Amino acid sequence: MSAVLATPPATSQEQEEPTTIDGFHLVIDALKLNGIDTIFGLPGIPITDLTRMAQAEGIRVISFRHEQHAGNAAAAAGFLTQKPGICLTVSAPGFLNGLTALANATTNCFPMILISGSSEREIVDLQQGDYEEMDQLAIAKPLCKAAFRVLHAQDIGVGIARAIRAALSGRPGGVYLDLPAKLFAQTMEAAAGKKSLIRVVDPAPRQIPATDAVRRALDLLKGAKKPLILLGKGAAYAQADADIRALVEQTGIPYLPMSMAKGLLPDTHAQSAAAARSYVLQEADVVMLIGARLNWLLSHGKGKTWGGPKQFIQIDIAPTEIDSNVAIAAPVIGDIGSCVSALLAGMGSGWAKPPAEWTAAIDERKDKNLSKMAVTLAARPSPMNFQSALSVIRDAVKARPDAIVVNEGANTLDFARSIVDMYEPRKRLDVGTWGIMGIGMGFSVAAAVVTGKPVIAIEGDSAFGFSGMEVETICRYNLPVCVVVFNNNGVYRGTDVNGSGGADVAPTVFVKNARYDKLMEAFGGVGVNATTADELQRGLAEAIASGRPTLINAVIDETAGTESGRITSLNPSAAKKK
Ligand code: FYN
Ligand code: ADP
C-alpha cells in the first residue's frame, strides 16, 4: 500500500504501520490495483498533490500544457492498450478543456476516464460562487458513456471500479469521474480503506455470438457473388489480429480497411481492395462489416457511393448499432474476437473462394490506381507537393513498420491515408469518426509513452496549430516523436485572397514561410527545414535513428491542396451547387 497521511506526527513505529489513509492515496491505490500505471494530466487546484503523490507512488505522470491534449493522449492510450487511459484535470476550465477529448473518445469507442477535481457540492448546488464553480457531473453526462461522483473516501474504490467497467465493457468509451476537493483530504482507517478498494475482475467480458446468428451470416456470405469485408477501428481495437487475418485469407474475400484499420493486414496484401475503393463499394453484393459503423465515412451505406443493391452482415458488440442507417440482413452481436473465431469454426473445410471474375476485376482497378500512384510518387517537383513529401514518409514506414503514424489535417490526412502503407495493426492513429483536428500531439505523446516505438506525426500546418505547444511536452519527456508539418501557408492551401480587398489576409491564410522547426528547437529538440524530398528523407531518417524529438518543417507548394481535401462535398456551398 502507498504512504498515507497520519496526524499528529507519528512515531517511527507508527510510520511503518500507518493507521489512516487519505483520499489522495485511496485514488492512487485503486488505480494501481487495477493495473493503471500512467496518468495524463495537468496539475492545479485541487489535484496538484494527487499528481505529485501518484508520481511518488510509481505511477508515470505525463504533464501536458493543455488538458485537451492530455485527454487525447488518454484516449489513444486506451485504444492502444485496452486499458482505460486516465486524464486528470483541475475543476471547471480544466474539466471543460478535457471534455472535447472525452466526447471524442466516446465517439471513437476508445476507453478513457476523465478524472476532474471539482468544487464543493454544498456551494455549487446553492450556486454561491465557489472557486471554479461548475456542476461538472451534469455537463459531462451527455458527452460520455457514464459519469460518477464520489463524495466519501470509503466509496473511492467503488467509484474507480465502476468507471473502469463502464469504459471497457460492451462498446468502449469515455467515462467521467468527479472528485470534489474535500474528498482528497478525507481520511479513514487504513485497513478498512485497503479493503474498500476493488480489483475489477474481467472488465470487458467476452460476448459470445449466438450460433444461429453466425450461421445466418455464413450462409449469406457463401451465397455472395461479390463479397467484401470492411474492417473498422473496432476490429483494430479488439486485438484479434491473427483470427481476423485468418478469416480474410481463408475466405479469400477482398477487404477494405477503414483508416485506423490499415495495417490489420499489411496494406500490400493481395486481398486489399483499398486502391479500388469506389469500385468495390459500388459493386459488392454482400458486405461484412467488422467493427465499422455505416456512418458518414461510409456514406451511411446508401446513395451513389454504394451503387447497386447489397446485403450487409455486421459484427459489432453494440446491438443498437444494427439497422442504424440501412437494414442489416445478418447481425452478429458479440466481441469481435469471439465472433470471428465462431465464423472461422463455422466455415468448416472446403470453403469456396469468391468467383474469380470478382477478384480479377478488382485487381484490374487496383493495378490501374497503383500504377498511377507510382508515377505521382516518383515525381520530384520543386517545391514539394503532398505526394512527393509523403512518398518519403511511405518509404520510412516501410523500413520501420513498427513505427506509429499519427495523422491529421485535410489534404495532409487524405493523401497520407492512401499513400502511406501500414504493415502492422494499431500503428495508425488519426482524426477518427469526427474528423477532429487537434489530436496530433496528444496521440503522439501517448503512442510514444505506451509503446516506446518511434512516432511519425504527419500534420497539416493548420492541424498542428491546435496542439503545437505540446512539442514542449515531447521534449520534456524526450519522446521519440518526429513531427512533420506540411507547411503550405494556410488551411487547405496558402493562396486565398481577402474578398474585400482589405489589408487582412484571407481567413484560411497563415504567416507565409513560417518556420515551425524553430518551435522544436526552442525546447531543445531538433528542428529541420526541408525544402526538398532529400532533405525530408535525411531529417526523418536521423530522427528515427536517434529517437530525439524532431520537427521537420516540410515546405509544400502553397498552391497544392483542395478545399476540405476529399470531403469538399460536405461544404454547404458545394451542397447548394448539387
Ligand atoms: C487508396 N487509393 C489508392 C490507394 N489507396 N490508390 C492507389 N494506391 C493506393 N495505395 C485510392 C482509392 O481507390 C480511391 O480512389 C482514392 O485513392 C481515395 O481513397 P481513400 O482515401 O481510401 O478513400 P476516400 O474516397 O477519400 O474515402 C472516403 C472517406 C475518407 C470519407 C472514408 O475521405 C475519410 O476517411 N475522410 C476523412 C476526412 C476527414 O476526417 N477530414 C478531416 C476534416 S478536414 P477511387 O477508388 O478511384 O475512389 C476539414 O476540412
Ligand atoms: P471506423 O471509423 O473505423 O469505421 P467505427 O468507430 O465506426 O470504425 O466503428 C467501430 C465499431 O466497433 C463500433 O460500432 C463499436 O461498437 C465496435 N467495437 C469496438 N470494440 C469492439 C469489440 N471489442 N468487439 C466488437 N465490436 C467492437
Side-chain angles (χ1 to χ4, degrees):
M1 193 202 303
S2 44
V4 293
L5 294 185
T7 49
T11 64
S12 59
Q13 197 187 349
E14 280 171 328
Q15 274 170 352
E16 277 166 26
E17 289 191 29
T19 53
T20 59
I21 182 163
D22 62 15
F24 287 114
H25 289 91
L26 284 164
V27 171
I28 293 163
D29 286 353
L31 293 174
K32 283 173 69 175
L33 185 64
N34 285 289
I36 285 165
D37 53 15
T38 307
I39 290 175
F40 304 93
L42 203 160
I45 295 171
I47 50 92
T48 314
D49 283 341
L50 184 59
T51 60
R52 290 194 187 106
M53 292 174 189
Q55 189 175 55
E57 295 296 338
I59 290 184
R60 186 152 196 217
V61 179
I62 305 292
S63 237
F64 282 75
R65 305 302 295 260
H66 188 288
E67 292 87 350
Q68 187 176 137
H69 313 309
N72 284 328
F79 171 73
L80 292 171
T81 65
Q82 291 187 330
K83 277 198 272 180
I86 306 292
C87 173
L88 182 62
T89 80
V90 303
S91 32
F95 155 80
L96 286 173
N97 287 343
L99 268 190
T100 305
L102 181 71
N104 188 47
T106 308
T107 304
N108 278 336
C109 315
F110 294 170
M112 76 169 273
I113 304 173
L114 174 68
I115 302 180
S116 296
S118 60
S119 311
E120 301 316 334
R121 295 284 349 129
E122 298 84 341
I123 306 178
V124 173
D125 289 348
L126 278 171
Q127 298 173 35
Q128 292 174 309
D130 203 358
Y131 167 74
E132 297 191 347
E133 177 181 299
M134 177 172 277
D135 188 357
Q136 297 171 195
L137 188 74
I139 290 167
K141 261 185 189 158
L143 300 174
C144 57
K145 256 186 97 177
F148 305 100
R149 175 187 293 129
V150 181
L151 293 177
H152 305 294
Q154 63 267 31
D155 293 330
I156 287 174
V158 169
I160 287 183
R162 299 214 72 192
I164 291 171
R165 229 174 239 293
L168 290 177
S169 60
R171 171 182 277 177
V175 174
Y176 176 61
L177 187 62
D178 192 86
L179 302 182
K182 263 203 302 214
L183 178 76
F184 296 113
Q186 284 179 28
T187 57
M188 65 186 289
E189 199 262 317
K194 188 174 180 186
K195 250 174 121 180
S196 72
L197 303 184
I198 294 174
R199 179 172 204 185
V200 179
V201 176
D202 196 11
R206 291 174 65 206
Q207 294 188 28
I208 315 290
T211 320
D212 57 333
V214 172
R215 178 63 24 224
R216 191 191 297 122
L218 284 171
D219 287 347
L220 188 55
L221 210 53
K222 222 179 248 170
K225 300 258 172 319
K226 298 175 176 181
L228 175 69
I229 291 176
L230 226 153
L231 300 172
K233 60 181 170 300
Y237 173 77
Q239 298 194 16
D241 310 334
D243 273 358
I244 289 172
R245 186 171 183 151
L247 182 72
V248 171
E249 291 181 343
Q250 287 176 32
T251 57
I253 296 175
Y255 73 95
L256 197 58
M258 296 301 285
S259 66
M260 283 182 59
K262 278 165 68 74
L264 212 40
L265 287 86
D267 279 335
T268 47
H269 195 285
Q271 285 170 254
S272 169
R277 187 177 192 276
S278 297
Y279 178 74
V280 290
L281 290 182
Q282 290 201 345
E283 293 293 321
D285 59 354
V286 174
V287 179
M288 178 157 73
L289 302 156
I290 307 183
R293 288 168 285 186
L294 284 174
N295 54 20
W296 71 280
L297 289 160
L298 285 168
S299 308
H300 305 282
K302 54 196 171 197
K304 66 177 192 309
T305 305
W306 287 89
K310 47 205 83 217
Q311 289 186 289
F312 290 97
I313 300 165
Q314 185 160 24
I315 301 181
D316 206 290
I317 203 154
T320 49
E321 184 57 38
I322 306 304
D323 302 331
S324 58
N325 286 271
V326 294
I328 302 296
V332 183
I333 303 305
D335 68 277
I336 285 168
S338 300
C339 294
V340 171
S341 72
L343 287 167
L344 279 168
M347 277 169 60
S349 54
W351 181 273
K353 300 265 155 110
E357 307 87 80
W358 174 228
T359 47
I362 296 171
D363 286 345
E364 198 188 313
R365 257 73 181 187
K366 253 176 81 172
D367 290 347
K368 240 187 245 161
N369 265 348
L370 290 170
S371 327
K372 244 200 285 172
M373 174 79 90
V375 174
T376 317
L377 295 181
R380 287 289 173 263
S382 175
M384 288 187 283
N385 60 14
F386 287 96
Q387 295 92 328
S388 64
L390 283 164
S391 75
V392 170
I393 300 179
R394 171 188 164 104
D395 292 344
V397 173
K398 190 173 181 188
R400 276 303 297 262
D402 59 331
I404 295 184
V405 167
V406 174
N407 189 197
E408 62 178 334
N411 293 282
T412 308
L413 175 89
D414 290 338
F415 282 114
R417 189 176 55 247
S418 47
I419 292 174
V420 180
D421 286 335
M422 305 306 299
Y423 300 87
E424 295 180 7
R426 292 171 298 284
K427 298 296 185 193
R428 185 183 155 87
L429 302 171
D430 69 25
V431 302
T433 303
W434 263 350
I436 194 172
M437 297 296 114
I439 48 84
M441 298 304 104
F443 278 15
S444 296
V445 169
V449 165
V450 303
T451 70
K453 300 287 186 191
V455 176
I456 304 169
I458 309 173
E459 299 276 311
D461 50 352
S462 164
F464 174 70
F466 289 74
S467 66
M469 191 63 206
E470 301 297 345
V471 296
E472 190 276 332
T473 310
I474 290 168
C475 289
R476 188 161 17 104
Y477 294 101
N478 195 25
L479 298 173
V481 176
C482 177
V483 184
V484 184
V485 176
F486 278 59
N487 185 357
N488 66 349
N489 294 341
V491 184
Y492 309 130
R493 56 180 171 258
T495 49
D496 250 12
V497 290
N498 179 338
S500 79
D504 289 345
V505 296
T508 54
V509 168
F510 295 151
V511 166
K512 301 256 183 215
N513 309 317
R515 291 288 302 273
Y516 292 97
D517 48 312
K518 301 278 181 196
L519 267 176
M520 193 58 108
E521 287 176 359
F523 302 107
V526 178
V528 176
N529 189 44
T531 56
T532 65
D534 282 347
E535 286 167 357
L536 174 56
Q537 189 275 327
R538 269 197 301 278
L540 191 53
E542 276 166 28
I544 292 173
S546 71
R548 289 189 62 196
T550 302
L551 193 152
I552 304 176
N553 182 56
V555 180
I556 305 291
D557 182 352
E558 69 169 1
T559 65
T562 53
E563 178 107 2
S564 308
R566 283 182 62 89
I567 53 172
T568 305
S569 59
L570 296 182
N571 284 325
S573 48
K576 220 169 68 187
K577 275 184 222 145
K578 267 188 197 166

Coordinates of all heavy atoms in Angstrom, one line a residue, residues 44-47 89-96 115-139 148-152 176-184 186:
G44 N -2.9 21.4 -10.9 CA -3.6 22.6 -10.5 C -4.5 22.3 -9.4 O -4.8 21.1 -9.1
I45 N -5.2 23.3 -8.8 CA -6.1 23.1 -7.7 C -7.3 22.3 -8.2 O -7.9 22.7 -9.2 CB -6.6 24.5 -7.1 CG1 -5.4 25.2 -6.5 CG2 -7.7 24.3 -6.1 CD1 -5.7 26.7 -6.1
P46 N -7.8 21.2 -7.6 CA -7.3 20.7 -6.3 C -6.5 19.4 -6.5 O -6.4 18.6 -5.6 CB -8.6 20.3 -5.6 CG -9.5 19.9 -6.7 CD -9.1 20.6 -8.0
I47 N -5.9 19.2 -7.7 CA -5.3 17.8 -7.9 C -3.8 17.9 -8.0 O -3.1 16.9 -8.4 CB -5.9 17.1 -9.1 CG1 -5.9 18.0 -10.4 CG2 -7.4 16.7 -8.9 CD1 -4.8 17.9 -11.3
T89 N -7.6 16.3 -14.5 CA -7.7 17.8 -14.7 C -8.1 18.5 -13.4 O -8.7 17.9 -12.6 CB -8.6 18.2 -15.8 OG1 -10.0 18.2 -15.3 CG2 -8.6 17.4 -17.1
V90 N -7.9 19.8 -13.4 CA -8.5 20.6 -12.4 C -10.0 20.8 -12.7 O -10.5 20.3 -13.6 CB -7.7 22.0 -12.3 CG1 -6.3 21.8 -12.1 CG2 -8.0 22.8 -13.6
S91 N -10.6 21.7 -11.8 CA -12.0 21.9 -12.0 C -12.4 22.8 -13.1 O -11.5 23.1 -13.9 CB -12.6 22.4 -10.6 OG -11.6 23.2 -10.0
A92 N -13.6 23.3 -13.2 CA -14.3 23.9 -14.3 C -13.5 24.1 -15.6 O -13.7 23.4 -16.5 CB -14.9 25.2 -13.8
P93 N -12.6 25.1 -15.7 CA -12.0 25.3 -17.0 C -11.1 24.1 -17.5 O -11.2 23.7 -18.6 CB -11.1 26.6 -16.8 CG -11.1 26.9 -15.4 CD -12.2 26.1 -14.7
G94 N -10.4 23.5 -16.5 CA -9.6 22.4 -16.9 C -10.5 21.2 -17.3 O -10.2 20.5 -18.3
F95 N -11.5 21.0 -16.6 CA -12.5 20.0 -16.9 C -13.1 20.2 -18.3 O -13.1 19.3 -19.1 CB -13.6 20.0 -15.8 CG -14.9 19.5 -16.3 CD1 -15.2 18.1 -16.3 CD2 -16.0 20.3 -16.6 CE1 -16.4 17.6 -16.7 CE2 -17.2 19.8 -17.0 CZ -17.4 18.5 -17.1
L96 N -13.5 21.5 -18.5 CA -14.1 21.8 -19.9 C -13.0 21.5 -21.0 O -13.4 21.0 -22.0 CB -14.5 23.2 -19.9 CG -15.8 23.6 -19.1 CD1 -16.1 25.1 -19.1 CD2 -17.0 22.8 -19.7
I115 N -10.8 12.2 -15.1 CA -11.0 12.4 -13.6 C -10.7 13.9 -13.4 O -9.6 14.4 -13.7 CB -10.0 11.6 -12.8 CG1 -10.2 10.1 -13.1 CG2 -10.2 11.9 -11.3 CD1 -9.2 9.2 -12.3
S116 N -11.7 14.6 -12.9 CA -11.5 16.0 -12.6 C -11.8 16.3 -11.2 O -12.8 15.8 -10.6 CB -12.5 16.9 -13.5 OG -12.2 16.8 -14.8
G117 N -11.0 17.2 -10.6 CA -11.3 17.7 -9.3 C -12.4 18.7 -9.5 O -12.7 19.2 -10.6
S118 N -13.2 18.9 -8.4 CA -14.3 19.8 -8.6 C -14.5 20.6 -7.3 O -14.0 20.3 -6.2 CB -15.6 19.1 -8.9 OG -15.9 18.1 -7.9
S119 N -15.4 21.7 -7.3 CA -15.6 22.5 -6.2 C -16.6 21.7 -5.2 O -17.1 20.7 -5.6 CB -16.3 23.8 -6.6 OG -15.5 24.4 -7.6
E120 N -16.9 22.4 -4.1 CA -17.7 21.7 -3.1 C -19.2 21.6 -3.5 O -19.7 22.7 -3.8 CB -17.5 22.3 -1.7 CG -16.0 22.3 -1.3 CD -15.3 21.0 -1.5 OE1 -15.9 19.9 -1.6 OE2 -14.1 21.0 -1.6
R121 N -19.8 20.5 -3.3 CA -21.2 20.3 -3.7 C -22.1 21.3 -3.0 O -23.0 21.8 -3.7 CB -21.7 18.9 -3.3 CG -21.0 17.8 -4.0 CD -21.5 17.5 -5.4 NE -22.6 18.2 -5.9 CZ -22.6 18.8 -7.0 NH1 -21.5 18.9 -7.7 NH2 -23.7 19.4 -7.5
E122 N -21.9 21.5 -1.7 CA -22.8 22.4 -1.0 C -22.8 23.8 -1.6 O -23.9 24.4 -1.7 CB -22.3 22.6 0.5 CG -22.2 21.3 1.3 CD -21.0 20.5 1.1 OE1 -20.3 20.7 0.1 OE2 -20.7 19.6 2.0
I123 N -21.7 24.3 -2.0 CA -21.6 25.6 -2.6 C -22.1 25.6 -4.1 O -22.9 26.5 -4.5 CB -20.2 26.2 -2.5 CG1 -19.7 26.1 -1.0 CG2 -20.1 27.6 -3.0 CD1 -18.3 26.5 -0.8
V124 N -21.7 24.6 -4.8 CA -22.1 24.5 -6.2 C -23.6 24.4 -6.3 O -24.3 25.1 -7.1 CB -21.5 23.3 -6.9 CG1 -22.0 23.1 -8.3 CG2 -19.9 23.4 -6.9
D125 N -24.2 23.6 -5.5 CA -25.6 23.3 -5.6 C -26.5 24.5 -5.2 O -27.6 24.7 -5.7 CB -26.1 22.1 -4.8 CG -25.5 20.8 -5.5 OD1 -25.1 20.9 -6.7 OD2 -25.6 19.7 -4.9
L126 N -25.9 25.3 -4.3 CA -26.7 26.6 -3.9 C -26.2 27.7 -4.8 O -26.6 28.9 -4.6 CB -26.4 26.9 -2.4 CG -27.3 26.1 -1.5 CD1 -26.9 26.3 0.0 CD2 -28.8 26.5 -1.6
Q127 N -25.3 27.5 -5.7 CA -24.8 28.5 -6.6 C -24.3 29.7 -5.9 O -24.7 30.8 -6.1 CB -25.8 28.8 -7.7 CG -26.2 27.6 -8.5 CD -27.4 27.9 -9.5 OE1 -27.5 29.0 -10.0 NE2 -28.2 26.9 -9.7
Q128 N -23.4 29.4 -4.9 CA -22.9 30.5 -4.0 C -21.6 31.1 -4.5 O -21.0 31.9 -3.8 CB -22.8 30.0 -2.6 CG -24.2 29.7 -2.0 CD -24.1 29.1 -0.6 OE1 -23.4 28.1 -0.4 NE2 -24.8 29.6 0.3
G129 N -21.1 30.6 -5.7 CA -20.0 31.3 -6.3 C -18.7 30.7 -5.7 O -17.8 31.5 -5.2
D130 N -18.4 29.4 -5.8 CA -17.2 28.8 -5.3 C -16.1 29.1 -6.3 O -16.3 29.5 -7.5 CB -17.4 27.3 -5.1 CG -16.3 26.8 -4.1 OD1 -15.5 27.5 -3.6 OD2 -16.4 25.5 -3.9
Y131 N -14.8 28.9 -5.9 CA -13.7 28.9 -6.8 C -14.0 27.9 -7.9 O -14.3 26.7 -7.6 CB -12.4 28.6 -6.1 CG -11.2 28.3 -7.0 CD1 -10.6 29.3 -7.6 CD2 -10.7 27.0 -7.1 CE1 -9.5 29.1 -8.5 CE2 -9.7 26.7 -7.9 CZ -9.0 27.8 -8.6 OH -8.0 27.5 -9.4
E132 N -13.9 28.3 -9.2 CA -14.2 27.4 -10.3 C -15.4 26.6 -10.1 O -15.5 25.4 -10.3 CB -13.0 26.6 -10.6 CG -11.7 27.4 -11.0 CD -10.6 26.6 -11.5 OE1 -10.5 25.4 -11.4 OE2 -9.7 27.3 -12.1
E133 N -16.5 27.3 -9.8 CA -17.8 26.6 -9.5 C -18.4 26.1 -10.9 O -18.4 26.8 -11.8 CB -18.8 27.6 -8.9 CG -20.1 27.0 -8.7 CD -21.1 28.0 -8.0 OE1 -20.8 28.4 -6.9 OE2 -22.1 28.3 -8.6
M134 N -18.8 24.9 -10.8 CA -19.5 24.3 -12.0 C -20.1 23.0 -11.7 O -19.5 22.2 -11.0 CB -18.5 24.1 -13.2 CG -19.1 23.5 -14.4 SD -18.0 23.6 -15.8 CE -18.3 25.2 -16.4
D135 N -21.3 22.7 -12.2 CA -21.9 21.4 -12.0 C -21.3 20.4 -13.0 O -22.0 20.1 -14.0 CB -23.4 21.5 -12.1 CG -24.1 20.2 -11.6 OD1 -23.4 19.2 -11.4 OD2 -25.3 20.2 -11.6
Q136 N -20.1 20.0 -12.8 CA -19.4 19.3 -13.8 C -20.0 17.9 -14.2 O -20.1 17.5 -15.4 CB -17.9 19.0 -13.4 CG -17.2 20.3 -13.2 CD -15.8 20.2 -12.6 OE1 -15.3 21.2 -12.1 NE2 -15.3 19.0 -12.4
L137 N -20.6 17.3 -13.2 CA -21.2 16.0 -13.5 C -22.3 16.1 -14.5 O -22.4 15.3 -15.5 CB -21.7 15.3 -12.2 CG -22.2 13.9 -12.3 CD1 -21.0 12.9 -12.4 CD2 -23.1 13.5 -11.1
A138 N -23.2 17.1 -14.3 CA -24.3 17.3 -15.2 C -23.9 17.6 -16.6 O -24.4 17.2 -17.6 CB -25.2 18.4 -14.6
I139 N -22.8 18.4 -16.7 CA -22.3 18.8 -18.0 C -21.7 17.6 -18.7 O -21.8 17.5 -20.0 CB -21.3 20.0 -17.9 CG1 -22.1 21.2 -17.4 CG2 -20.5 20.3 -19.2 CD1 -21.3 22.4 -16.9
F148 N -19.8 9.5 -12.9 CA -20.0 9.2 -11.5 C -19.3 10.3 -10.6 O -18.3 10.9 -11.1 CB -19.3 7.9 -11.1 CG -19.7 6.7 -12.0 CD1 -18.9 6.3 -13.1 CD2 -20.9 6.1 -11.7 CE1 -19.3 5.2 -13.9 CE2 -21.3 5.0 -12.5 CZ -20.6 4.6 -13.6
R149 N -19.9 10.5 -9.4 CA -19.2 11.4 -8.5 C -19.0 10.6 -7.2 O -19.9 9.8 -6.7 CB -20.1 12.6 -8.2 CG -19.5 13.5 -7.1 CD -20.4 14.7 -6.7 NE -20.6 15.6 -7.9 CZ -21.7 16.0 -8.4 NH1 -22.9 15.6 -7.8 NH2 -21.8 16.8 -9.4
V150 N -17.8 10.8 -6.5 CA -17.6 10.2 -5.3 C -17.5 11.2 -4.2 O -16.8 12.2 -4.3 CB -16.2 9.4 -5.3 CG1 -16.0 8.7 -4.0 CG2 -16.2 8.4 -6.4
L151 N -18.3 11.1 -3.1 CA -18.3 12.1 -2.1 C -17.6 11.6 -0.8 O -17.2 12.4 0.0 CB -19.8 12.4 -1.7 CG -20.6 13.2 -2.8 CD1 -22.0 13.4 -2.3 CD2 -19.9 14.5 -3.1
H152 N -17.4 10.3 -0.6 CA -16.9 9.8 0.6 C -15.7 8.9 0.3 O -15.7 8.1 -0.6 CB -17.9 9.0 1.4 CG -19.1 9.8 1.7 ND1 -19.1 10.9 2.5 CD2 -20.4 9.6 1.2 CE1 -20.4 11.4 2.5 NE2 -21.1 10.7 1.7
Y176 N -16.7 9.8 -17.1 CA -16.3 11.0 -16.3 C -16.4 10.6 -14.8 O -17.4 10.0 -14.4 CB -17.2 12.2 -16.6 CG -16.8 13.3 -15.6 CD1 -15.6 13.9 -15.6 CD2 -17.8 13.8 -14.7 CE1 -15.2 14.9 -14.8 CE2 -17.5 14.8 -13.9 CZ -16.2 15.4 -13.9 OH -15.8 16.4 -13.0
L177 N -15.3 10.9 -14.1 CA -15.3 10.7 -12.6 C -15.0 12.0 -11.9 O -14.0 12.6 -12.1 CB -14.2 9.6 -12.3 CG -14.2 9.2 -10.9 CD1 -15.5 8.4 -10.5 CD2 -13.0 8.2 -10.6
D178 N -16.0 12.4 -11.1 CA -16.0 13.7 -10.5 C -15.5 13.5 -9.0 O -16.1 12.8 -8.2 CB -17.4 14.3 -10.5 CG -17.4 15.8 -10.1 OD1 -17.2 16.6 -11.0 OD2 -17.7 16.0 -8.9
L179 N -14.4 14.2 -8.7 CA -13.8 14.0 -7.3 C -13.7 15.4 -6.7 O -12.8 16.2 -6.9 CB -12.4 13.4 -7.4 CG -12.4 12.0 -8.1 CD1 -10.9 11.4 -8.0 CD2 -13.3 11.0 -7.4
P180 N -14.7 15.8 -5.8 CA -14.7 17.1 -5.2 C -13.4 17.3 -4.3 O -12.9 16.3 -3.7 CB -15.9 17.1 -4.3 CG -16.8 16.1 -4.9 CD -15.9 15.0 -5.5
A181 N -12.9 18.5 -4.2 CA -11.7 18.8 -3.5 C -11.6 18.2 -2.1 O -10.6 17.6 -1.7 CB -11.5 20.3 -3.4
K182 N -12.8 18.3 -1.4 CA -12.8 17.8 0.0 C -12.5 16.3 0.2 O -12.0 15.9 1.2 CB -14.1 18.1 0.6 CG -14.1 19.4 1.4 CD -15.2 19.5 2.5 CE -16.6 19.4 2.0 NZ -17.6 20.2 2.7
L183 N -12.8 15.6 -0.9 CA -12.6 14.1 -0.8 C -11.2 13.7 -0.6 O -10.9 12.8 0.1 CB -13.1 13.5 -2.2 CG -13.0 12.0 -2.3 CD1 -14.0 11.3 -1.5 CD2 -13.0 11.6 -3.8
F184 N -10.3 14.5 -1.2 CA -8.8 14.1 -1.2 C -8.3 14.1 0.2 O -7.4 13.3 0.6 CB -8.0 15.0 -2.1 CG -8.4 14.8 -3.5 CD1 -9.0 15.9 -4.2 CD2 -8.2 13.7 -4.2 CE1 -9.4 15.8 -5.6 CE2 -8.6 13.5 -5.6 CZ -9.2 14.6 -6.2
Q186 N -10.1 13.7 3.0 CA -10.8 12.8 4.0 C -9.8 11.7 4.3 O -9.1 11.2 3.5 CB -12.0 12.3 3.3 CG -13.2 13.2 3.2 CD -14.4 12.5 2.6 OE1 -14.6 11.3 2.6 NE2 -15.2 13.4 1.9

